[in-house]
Amino acid sequence: VFDARGTSLESNPALRRLLGAERGDLPTLTHPSLRLLDETGRELGLAESPVGRVLATGRPVPSAVLGLAVAGQDLRWVRMAALPHTGPCGEPRVVVTCSDVTAERAAILALASAERRLRITAEHAPIGIALVSTDGAILDANDALCRLLGYSHDELTARTVRDITHPDHLADDAAQVDALVAGEAETYRVEKAYLTRDGREVWAQLSVTLVRDETGAPQYFISMVEDISAQREAATALDHRPSHDHLTGLPNRTLLLERTDAALARAGWRRGQVALLFCDLDEFKLINDSRGHAAGDAVLVETASRLSQCVRTGDTAARLGGDEFVVLCEGLTGRTEAETVAQRLTDALTEPMARAGGITMTVSIGVAFAEPGMTGAELLRNADAAMHLAKTSGRDRFALFTPHLVEQATERLDLEHQLREGMRTEALFLDYQPVRRLSDGGVVSYEALVRWQHPVRGVLGPGAFLPIAEASDLILDLDRYVLPRACAAAVAWGDQPAAPSICVNISARHVGRGRLPGLVVRTLRDSGLAPQRLVLELTETALLGMTPTAQAELDTLVALGVRLAIDDFGAGYSSLKHLVDVPASFVKIDRSFVAAMDSSPASTAVVSAVISLCRALGVAVVAEGIEGEPQRGQLASLGCAYGQGYLLGRPGRIDLTALSRTAG
Ligand code: C2E
Ligand code: CA
Ligand code: CA
């Protein structure tokens, strides 16, 4: 810490060592025995030094590499940063951090002059150095980097930069990498956090240079990684390191991991002692989207307070961010005990939330137990995977981690990635299945059913990839992919009012976000399809807990002239109430009901009741999954107007010439 005249008030041994002042006082910055040089070797006066610039502007000076010449010593190169600070009586002070980068500079210079395909010579450099391929694979790394990140050389070179980057910083250097490859810059520097092998966060100053071959084509990156965790701590010690979440006051991820690591160390080799319960609120986005952020925040605050009340003293409830909360439990006797805790959390969280306008939430919980030798980060990953299992098995439940889940999670990520690629490369296509009048067999519409020409697995039906897409917002992209293509196809079928309509499935996740009308308007405008020829099929899940936004969305669509169908009626939470509330033109009776009609008089009675109710409400009924002539005859005699099923036509391509013949 320096005062306004450059006199040092406090310093740590490392700085004194650097300035050759181990014994005795640190010289003032203006003392003739101490010279500060810029990278070209020009001497800087006090006013030009970082200290002088902070004093002049009152603002922090970003770190820069400067030469430090002390009488009687070799020239050292240091990275120096300076921050404004105030003394006890309000007088200006400057906090300076310096780190010795002499070896790094030497290594950079050595590398710059080395031949093309270089080996890392700076094996003993105090900073980490890696050669990285243009797609992020770590080709080679020196000892310092291995030590910093806690990996062996072989482990590190089997990884990519993504693997070792802190999840919060994955996007940090992407733009700069692009600039390097595009030739807009020679090198770049960023401060970013890495994750060590055991899940600790280390902050580093990263300098990246791109090496090109003779033709100028990018070959690989040289990355210099300097540990600046200590500097950051020194700089933030004046503030204090954030360990708690602002909104809820709960411990954050960092503190959770610290405590988990400590708990794991205490538990040692004993199994079944430490568990993490990863809690993710179901459909929290819906609250935020439909009731606004204030309501969303109220739910989070209430969730936090309930979790804190539920956990025993000594256990930790933390918030990772968003609607993700984690409870750390210690000293558990076994799985049943963890399940009891999960049940208690579920009970507490599903009580109506008075503070948030009486909303009732459900929660999906993933439970993972520590195995000997595990790190906190690994345990957290397992709990996360189990939570995903709870989500995909229908939400509002808890699931236990099993090793098998790791495979599933990687498969899921792979598939998600491939599906994105599939949409990008138009590998997804639509089959069309006719909906016919039961009276004369005429086609009234076609339903678009998505398929995926998978590069390895052949043509996949929606069952193979929709659940994956449904688990994230990828499903929104899928709907945005399908809708314009289906509408364009319908335009190709002709433009007479009698031309068949097009039925498009819309995911339940898409409803209530306020985005559907915009998407539909754009699609109709771009394709030129008459709104009357578009039918949107919504499953009953989409209609559960209809929010005002969802209601307004559906009303808008109907006002546009688009028709709605309630899909899979009877498959899920059948509610006749939906028939009254939703402005639907069609109800599609689920094929499980139609199939059961053959053997179960009760099913026939239900189908018959739905048909008469719909007739009273002016809603047309489509029976799904008609596979045999007896079903068709029976449905027709019950008064069902339309049908769909293998008997009436399988999903497939549409023959345009056949179509114009029928229309004629
Ligand atoms: P769905 O909307 O109930 O579509 C009808 C499904 O029943 C289709 O399966 C169809 O091939 C099948 N099917 C038709 N007739 C018969 C029959 O007589 N017997 C039997 N056993 N099955 C019949 P598919 O193509 O596998 O689609 C499954 C579900 O995937 C659809 O159910 C729909 O919910 C969803 N889906 C399909 N395409 C899309 C899409 O583009 N977007 C969205 N969001 N969901 C889609
Ligand atoms: Ca459908
Ligand atoms: Ca259906």
Side-chain angles (χ1 to χ4, degrees):
V1 180
F2 292 90
D3 70 9
R5 277 172 322 208
T7 312
S8 118
L9 303 171
E10 275 175 59
S11 58
N12 69 352
L15 184 70
R16 288 199 291 277
R17 210 159 34 244
L18 201 59
L19 295 178
E22 273 121 325
R23 287 151 267 124
D25 287 339
L26 209 62
T28 64
L29 290 180
T30 47
H31 196 276
S33 68
L34 182 68
R35 290 184 306 134
L36 210 53
L37 312 174
D38 72 9
E39 284 205 90
T40 64
R42 191 175 63 88
E43 186 168 345
L44 302 178
L46 179 62
E48 287 173 296
S49 73
V51 172
R53 283 160 57 206
V54 168
L55 288 169
T57 62
R59 291 234 203 74
V61 169
S63 65
V65 174
L66 299 173
L68 204 58
V70 180
Q73 278 192 33
D74 290 343
L75 176 71
R76 311 295 303 169
W77 290 94
V78 295
R79 171 159 315 103
M80 190 183 281
L83 298 165
H85 187 45
T86 4
C89 309
E91 71 281 15
R93 289 182 174 179
V94 182
V95 179
V96 173
T97 61
C98 279
S99 56
D100 191 342
V101 294
T102 313
E104 173 195 357
R105 224 180 107 87
I108 292 179
L109 295 176
L111 286 173
S113 62
E115 73 285 356
R116 283 292 169 195
R117 175 74 178 96
L118 42 81
R119 288 229 14 101
I120 294 179
T121 49
E123 234 9 286
H124 302 291
I127 74 156
I129 302 179
L131 295 189
V132 176
S133 75
T134 48
D135 56 10
I138 300 171
L139 304 173
D140 203 350
N142 71 347
D143 279 343
L145 189 61
C146 296
R147 243 178 295 120
L148 177 65
L149 298 176
Y151 288 103
S152 71
H153 183 267
D154 285 350
E155 286 174 325
L156 196 55
T157 50
R159 282 173 168 70
T160 66
V161 171
R162 278 187 78 81
D163 299 334
I164 56 167
T165 297
H166 190 284
D168 293 348
H169 294 257
L170 281 173
D172 279 4
D173 38 357
Q176 277 108 322
V177 166
D178 289 346
L180 280 193
V181 173
E184 292 157 17
E186 296 295 331
T187 168
Y188 75 85
R189 314 170 74 85
V190 283
E191 279 189 12
K192 67 184 259 190
Y194 290 93
L195 280 184
T196 63
R197 188 173 190 279
D198 53 19
R200 267 184 315 110
E201 194 182 65
V202 279
W203 277 91
Q205 167 90 52
L206 167 71
S207 321
V208 179
T209 312
L210 176 62
V211 177
R212 296 172 184 274
D213 65 14
E214 302 78 22
T215 68
Q219 274 196 304
Y220 51 86
F221 298 104
I222 302 172
S223 299
M224 307 273 176
V225 181
E226 189 201 348
D227 184 358
I228 53 162
S229 301
Q231 277 105 310
R232 275 184 73 93
E233 256 171 46
T236 48
L238 298 165
D239 267 317
H240 101 79
R241 185 137 154 257
S243 59
H244 289 79
D245 167 49
H246 275 305
L247 178 65
T248 63
L250 290 185
N252 64 10
R253 175 192 289 265
T254 314
L255 187 55
L256 172 75
L257 284 177
E258 266 170 33
R259 290 196 186 162
T260 310
D261 283 331
L264 292 173
R266 277 193 294 274
W269 51 267
R270 282 166 298 163
R271 277 169 182 268
Q273 290 279 314
V274 179
L276 289 184
L277 291 88
F278 198 119
C279 311
D280 189 294
L281 299 177
D282 297 328
E283 308 289 10
F284 173 71
K285 267 217 174 75
L286 270 173
I287 306 284
N288 248 348
D289 294 345
S290 62
R291 306 210 186 183
H293 285 275
D297 284 355
V299 168
L300 296 176
V301 170
E302 181 64 24
T303 304
S305 100
R306 290 183 186 184
L307 284 179
S308 318
Q309 280 163 20
C310 267
V311 304
R312 295 174 302 189
T313 28
D315 290 351
T316 299
R319 177 173 175 228
L320 296 191
D323 59 340
E324 296 180 338
F325 295 85
V326 175
V327 174
L328 161 66
C329 290
E330 263 188 273
L332 293 175
T333 53
R335 301 204 164 219
T336 37
E337 211 176 90
E339 286 178 17
T340 314
V341 179
Q343 190 57 54
R344 206 167 61 223
L345 297 181
T346 309
D347 292 344
L349 295 181
T350 48
E351 285 283 307
M353 298 190 167
R355 196 190 317 208
I359 297 176
T360 312
M361 300 300 295
T362 60
V363 60
S364 300
I365 303 181
V367 185
F369 272 94
E371 295 289 331
M374 204 178 244
T375 65
E378 283 164 350
L379 186 57
L380 184 60
R381 221 164 18 241
N382 290 353
D384 190 4
M387 186 276 290
H388 272 284
L389 174 66
K391 285 267 186 219
T392 46
S393 6
R395 309 196 175 100
D396 189 14
R397 62 195 63 211
F398 57 84
L400 273 179
F401 174 83
T402 61
H404 181 55
L405 278 182
V406 180
E407 270 162 57
Q408 282 182 351
T410 9
E411 263 171 38
R412 196 177 60 229
L413 278 180
D414 278 356
L415 206 63
E416 239 185 79
H417 172 74
Q418 291 171 4
L419 186 55
R420 264 181 229 287
E421 265 312 287
M423 285 194 249
R424 206 177 59 73
T425 57
E426 298 276 330
L428 273 70
F429 65 94
L430 297 175
D431 269 348
Y432 298 91
Q433 186 179 30
V435 177
R436 293 181 187 274
R437 275 189 299 272
L438 291 183
S439 55
D440 62 3
V443 173
V444 287
S445 60
Y446 286 97
E447 177 175 6
L449 295 163
V450 69
R451 278 92 182 85
W452 177 11
Q453 179 68 56
H454 188 276
V456 204
R457 293 162 61 191
V459 175
L460 300 181
F465 57 93
L466 278 187
I468 306 257
E470 289 271 3
S472 71
D473 280 351
L474 194 51
I475 189 69
L476 307 187
D477 294 329
L478 186 95
D479 284 352
R480 281 195 286 264
Y481 179 97
V482 169
L483 189 63
R485 286 165 180 79
C487 290
V491 168
W493 302 336
D495 54 6
Q496 316 90 316
S501 299
I502 175 77
C503 304
V504 181
N505 293 286
I506 297 290
S507 159
R509 281 183 70 120
H510 222 138
V511 177
R513 300 186 166 216
R515 301 204 198 149
L516 211 44
L519 174 65
V520 170
V521 168
R522 263 195 318 280
T523 310
L524 291 173
R525 191 190 53 213
D526 294 349
S527 63
L529 183 73
Q532 291 70 24
R533 288 183 58 206
L534 177 60
V535 179
L536 299 180
E537 298 197 357
L538 305 169
T539 57
E540 290 198 274
T541 358
L543 310 174
L544 285 178
M546 278 275 274
T547 61
T549 316
Q551 194 80 54
E553 256 182 359
L554 300 187
D555 290 342
T556 312
L557 291 169
V558 170
L560 286 171
V562 171
R563 287 175 296 167
L564 304 179
I566 301 179
D567 201 357
D568 300 348
F569 189 81
Y573 307 79
S574 303
S575 163
L576 296 176
K577 189 167 171 293
H578 293 146
L579 294 182
V580 183
D581 286 352
V582 178
S585 304
F586 301 95
V587 162
K588 301 183 80 171
I589 300 185
D590 191 64
R591 68 165 179 270
S592 57
F593 264 102
V594 174
M597 279 171 60
D598 287 341
S599 54
S600 144
S603 294
T604 313
V606 172
V607 170
S608 157
V610 171
I611 293 172
S612 1
L613 181 66
C614 286
R615 193 169 5 186
L617 293 168
V619 180
V621 176
V622 183
E624 294 191 307
I626 302 179
E627 293 183 354
E629 180 48 41
Q631 288 167 339
R632 195 203 63 81
Q634 198 180 6
L635 284 160
S637 67
L638 288 174
C640 176
Y642 306 106
Q644 197 178 2
Y646 293 165
L647 178 74
L648 308 175
R650 290 186 175 255
R653 301 290 159 103
I654 292 202
D655 180 352
L656 280 179
T657 49
L659 195 70
S660 58
R661 231 178 295 128
T662 356

